[in-house]
């Protein structure tokens, strides 16, 4: 089934219209509203974001498909921006991978990425990663394709092979993943702009660059990556890191000084919050209903 305005269609259209497409990581529905306000055309839900922000857990595959799908539903309920979702390793065997795709698609996601790590996965910028064989990952991708209820739902294959096997092996894997049905490729942890250039030239599919902070990849600009042939640029947890640092500063200042007075200028105002939420329109609707005796 393909709907003219399905989330997958919108993600593909955004990637065609903006080159490279900047994809904003959001940890919840309110962050999605902020990213839309800033002008982003596509959003991303990180597995680490769900684990860290919603459950206080590390990014070690400890959250479930059900938990991630619930976050997807909350985000897509407040914005029509297409949402790419971190599907980790798919939460199981081929049957489960297909179920994962169907579940996230029905929840409103525009696409997901699956990685070629073993089930006991690690953060892509940590040492000690272990990979499944190329054949097993191709089977994982084929299962994902079978699970689509919308044939425009984006299947993105993430390869962590660069850190384990080197650039040539990572590119070879990516080519196989495209052959197996992947629509796009997530090249994780590359070490330079030139390596992104090589990757984009080697793979006949749009390539995503992960501009996560404090990792193995240098923070390259959109212009640099675009000129290298990269089609999507991801900022998975940038806002979350800044929000967390600001929140810790607030808590520490409150404990130390006994007042938030010194912090007020850096806070979002109540009226700014109301504007983003459309608070006054909700209030008018409630007042109108009350006046009618509903």
């Amino acid at each position: 089934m393909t709907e003219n305005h399905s989330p997958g269609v919108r993600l593909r259209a955004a990637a065609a219209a903006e080159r490279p497409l900047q994809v904003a990581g959001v940890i919840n529905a309110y962050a999605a509203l902020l990213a839309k306000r800033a002008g982003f055309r596509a959003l991303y839900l990180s597995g680490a974001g769900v684990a860290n922000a919603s459950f206080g857990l590390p990014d070690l595959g400890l959250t479930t498909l059900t938990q991630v799908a619930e976050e997807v539903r909350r985000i897509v309920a407040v914005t029509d921006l297409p949402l790419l979702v971190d599907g980790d390793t798919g939460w199981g065997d081929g049957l489960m991978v297909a179920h994962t795709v169907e579940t996230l698609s029905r929840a409103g996601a525009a696409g997901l990425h699956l990685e070629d790590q073993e089930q006991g996965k690690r953060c892509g910028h940590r040492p000690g990663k272990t990979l499944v064989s190329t054949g097993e990952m191709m089977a994982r991708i084929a299962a994902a394709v079978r699970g689509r209820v919308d044939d425009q739902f984006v299947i993105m294959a993430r390869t962590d092979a660069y850190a384990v096997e080197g650039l040539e092996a990572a590119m070879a894997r990516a080519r196989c993943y495209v052959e197996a049905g992947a629509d796009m490729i997530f090249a994780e942890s590359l070490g330079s702009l030139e390596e992104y250039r090589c990757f984009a030239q080697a793979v006949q599919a749009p390539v995503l660059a992960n501009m996560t902070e404090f990792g193995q990849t240098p923070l390259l600009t959109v212009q640099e990556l675009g000129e290298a042939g990269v089609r999507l640029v991801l900022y998975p947890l940038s806002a979350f890191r800044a929000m967390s640092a600001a929140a810790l500063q607030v808590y520490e200042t409150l404990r130390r000084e006994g007042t938030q007075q010194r912090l007020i200028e850096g806070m979002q105002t109540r009226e700014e919050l109301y504007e983003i939420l459309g608070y006054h329109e909700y209030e008018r609707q409630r007042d109108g209903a009350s006046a009618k005796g509903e």
Side-chain angles (χ1 to χ4, degrees):
M1 174 183 72
T2 303
E3 300 175 6
N4 290 335
H5 301 291
S6 72
V9 169
R10 296 199 300 272
L11 179 56
R12 292 170 190 268
E18 182 179 310
R19 296 195 178 197
L21 176 65
Q22 289 184 293
V23 184
V26 297
I27 59 165
N28 54 31
Y30 186 67
L33 293 176
L34 295 176
K36 183 174 183 178
R37 174 63 62 95
F40 283 90
R41 296 187 181 189
L43 306 175
Y44 174 73
L45 181 62
S46 160
V50 174
N52 301 166
S54 294
F55 295 95
L57 292 171
D59 180 26
L60 290 168
L62 299 174
T63 48
T64 68
L65 170 60
T66 300
Q67 290 165 339
V68 172
E70 181 57 33
E71 294 294 343
V72 171
R73 293 186 189 97
R74 291 171 180 169
I75 290 168
V76 302
V78 300
T79 178
D80 59 358
L81 291 182
L83 179 67
L84 176 67
V85 179
D86 184 351
D88 283 340
T89 58
W91 285 283
D93 62 11
L95 187 63
M96 186 63 194
V97 169
H99 176 63
T100 292
V101 169
E102 179 179 357
T103 298
L104 293 180
S105 181
R106 293 194 187 282
L112 90 166
H113 66 75
L114 295 168
E115 60 198 59
D116 53 10
Q117 289 195 54
E118 292 185 351
Q119 291 294 336
K121 59 147 292 179
R122 295 175 182 265
C123 168
H125 290 257
R126 292 288 300 158
K129 296 186 291 186
T130 55
L131 308 180
V132 298
S133 69
T134 300
E136 184 172 341
M137 181 59 178
M138 291 175 71
R140 201 175 273 178
I141 295 164
V145 172
R146 290 195 301 273
R148 286 198 287 212
V149 293
D150 172 2
D151 62 14
Q152 293 300 300
F153 183 88
V154 173
I155 305 295
M156 180 182 287
R158 171 177 138 175
T159 180
D160 285 75
Y162 172 81
V164 181
E165 301 173 345
L167 180 63
E168 291 297 330
M171 293 189 298
R173 277 179 173 263
R175 287 190 291 266
C176 290
Y177 300 165
V178 173
E179 180 183 337
D183 301 301
M184 301 180 183
I185 294 293
F186 184 143
E188 180 66 304
S189 301
L190 300 193
S192 70
L193 182 62
E194 184 57 35
E195 288 173 335
Y196 276 112
R197 191 184 312 278
C198 292
F199 216 103
Q201 292 173 349
V203 178
Q204 297 302 307
V207 171
L208 176 146
N210 183 14
M211 291 293 102
T212 189
E213 302 82 14
F214 315 111
Q216 303 302 311
T217 302
L219 299 182
L220 303 166
T221 69
V222 171
Q223 182 176 349
E224 289 171 329
L225 290 164
E227 291 173 352
V230 168
R231 290 284 304 280
L232 303 96
V233 182
L234 176 64
Y235 312 93
L237 292 171
S238 303
F240 172 61
R241 296 189 207 283
M243 292 158 63
S244 298
L248 182 58
Q249 181 184 14
V250 168
Y251 293 140
E252 290 176 342
T253 300
L254 287 170
R255 287 293 287 171
R256 184 175 60 250
E257 300 179 12
T259 175
Q260 68 270 56
Q261 191 62 46
R262 187 168 60 82
L263 302 168
I264 291 295
E265 288 187 5
M267 290 186 180
Q268 181 187 62
T269 67
R270 185 183 298 271
E271 192 55 41
E272 288 168 339
L273 170 67
Y274 287 177
E275 181 184 357
I276 290 167
L277 294 175
Y279 182 94
H280 296 300
E281 178 57 30
Y282 280 104
E283 198 169 52
R284 281 191 290 270
Q285 291 177 24
R286 169 163 286 175
D287 291 345
S290 297
K292 295 177 182 177
E294 296 178 3

